[in-house]
Amino acid sequence: MPRVPSAAATRVGSQIAFFRTRRGMTQDQLAVTSDIDSSNIRSYESGRAMMNVHSLIRIAEALHVEPGDLLEGVTSDMFPATQRRTG
């Protein structure tokens, strides 16, 4: 299944980039610290992909922030309709 970019992925990615640069880390350093491939870090930060919960927690730990800090401002309407659940 192809990756579907979303406003949520873009928002989370910008939060990751914000906290990473605030800590003075490169994408490669974040990749090593979080044990996530650097190509995935680049995809997350650019909003091309949304990580799973486990990866979100590993990135938050590497950045010394709470996972919720990376989700700040994300709402359900930021996901494509195919990913939203009704009822």
Side-chain angles (χ1 to χ4, degrees), residues 33-50:
T33 306
S34 63
D35 196 29
I36 295 173
D37 191 85
S38 60
S39 66
N40 288 339
I41 298 295
R42 285 189 289 281
S43 290
Y44 300 151
E45 285 194 8
S46 69
R48 290 189 317 262
M50 178 66 88

Side-chain angles (χ1 to χ4, degrees), residues 6-62:
S6 68
T10 300
R11 177 64 185 167
V12 172
S14 68
Q15 288 294 96
I16 292 169
F18 170 78
F19 287 112
R20 177 183 58 75
T21 56
R22 194 169 92 177
R23 290 196 61 75
M25 296 175 82
T26 66
Q27 289 176 329
D28 289 333
Q29 289 169 326
L30 177 57
V32 169
T33 306
S34 63
D35 196 29
I36 295 173
D37 191 85
S38 60
S39 66
N40 288 339
I41 298 295
R42 285 189 289 281
S43 290
Y44 300 151
E45 285 194 8
S46 69
R48 290 189 317 262
M50 178 66 88
M51 76 285 313
N52 61 35
V53 172
H54 184 219
S55 294
L56 178 87
I57 291 169
R58 288 168 39 202
I59 291 169
E61 288 174 346

Side-chain angles (χ1 to χ4, degrees), residues 53 56-58 60-61 65-72:
V53 172
L56 178 87
I57 291 169
R58 288 168 39 202
E61 288 174 346
V65 299
E66 294 296 320
D69 293 336
L70 301 179
L71 297 172
E72 184 73 32

